[in-house]
Amino acid sequence: GVELTITRLIAAALVALLAGWIVGRMIPVQKANFVDVTAQKAPLRERLRSAYDFGLREVLDETGPWILVGLAIAALLSQGGLTGALLDMPDIAQVMLFALISLPLYVCASGATPLAAGLIFAGASPGAALAFLLAGPATNVTTFGVLSSLHNKRIATLFGLVVIGLAILTGLVTNLVFDQLAIDLSTSTHAHEEPNLVQTICALILCALFIVSLLRT
């Protein structure tokens, strides 16, 4: 839905800026070594080929399998037992639960998106899904390892706590705003509509790209 998409963009920007500002104040300033790359500009044909290799090969090969897994899991999150458990849980508990669940998961933002949609269809609040989307890609084992090696474990732990805290806060605010605006994502985004010609063509192209990527990898 458009509403949650815009909310996610704003929330991601705020969490990134605030986390960078808070954690950055704890890291001593280091002098950077700048490299002049203006003389290394490649020809247009080479740059287009590089863009193609990155956008339709590297990125697709890295995220494609996880997007498919996310779609599969989202499809399995039907209106069943999970719905009752989520609806009986307060919004604040949902937001905290999904923010914590995302901690051990090494999932990219693209793969987490259909999973978050499935959670909403199963009864999770928009804020819980948003907390999952914000915290998951940012607080994984790889990120902690990189931060620990570049700085120290204290900085890595502080980063994780700040991101989790901001994700939970953002999720709670999202639920409050959506409740006041009376936006029901579970029904508005789950309506069955016949795809138009452009959507059908795009879907076929995307399926072909996924098949080629899976065969290549």
Side-chain angles (χ1 to χ4, degrees):
V2 176
E3 297 90 351
L4 193 58
T5 300
I6 296 174
T7 304
R8 180 183 180 184
L9 290 173
I10 296 174
L14 289 175
V15 170
L17 290 171
L18 288 173
W21 179 74
I22 294 172
V23 178
R25 292 170 64 90
M26 308 296 293
I27 302 174
V29 178
Q30 299 177 1
K31 186 178 180 180
N33 295 321
F34 294 100
V35 179
D36 184 10
V37 296
T38 55
Q40 304 172 7
K41 192 173 182 180
L44 176 61
R45 183 176 181 180
E46 187 175 333
R47 281 182 283 149
L48 289 175
R49 180 179 179 83
S50 177
Y52 166 81
D53 288 337
F54 179 75
L56 296 181
R57 291 176 64 91
E58 183 178 341
V59 171
L60 194 62
D61 293 348
E62 290 284 342
T63 63
W66 303 112
I67 294 176
L68 295 177
V69 170
L71 287 170
I73 297 176
L76 294 175
L77 293 175
S78 58
Q79 302 280 347
L82 181 61
T83 302
L86 290 175
L87 292 178
D88 293 338
M89 189 181 298
D91 282 354
I92 185 171
Q94 284 189 25
V95 173
M96 296 179 67
L97 175 64
F98 284 108
L100 294 176
I101 286 177
S102 68
L103 273 174
L105 300 180
Y106 184 63
V107 57
C108 66
S110 302
T113 300
L115 181 55
L119 291 173
I120 292 177
F121 296 151
S125 66
L130 186 64
F132 178 83
L133 289 171
L134 293 174
T139 56
N140 52 65
V141 177
T142 303
T143 302
F144 285 129
V146 172
L147 285 176
S148 296
S149 62
L150 289 176
H151 304 289
N152 52 57
K153 291 183 179 180
R154 184 176 70 88
I155 294 297
T157 303
L158 176 64
F159 170 79
L161 293 175
V162 169
V163 171
I164 289 293
L166 291 175
I168 293 174
L169 179 62
T170 305
L172 295 176
V173 172
T174 298
N175 282 341
L176 184 63
V177 172
F178 274 56
D179 287 342
Q180 290 182 346
L181 297 178
I183 298 174
D184 187 3
L185 297 179
S186 62
T187 56
S188 64
T189 60
H190 202 51
H192 294 284
E193 299 179 357
E194 290 295 328
N196 56 42
L197 180 61
V198 174
Q199 293 172 329
T200 301
I201 293 174
C202 291
L204 292 174
I205 294 174
L206 190 62
C207 287
L209 289 173
F210 274 124
I211 292 173
V212 173
S213 174
L214 290 173
L215 291 174
R216 183 168 57 239
T217 55

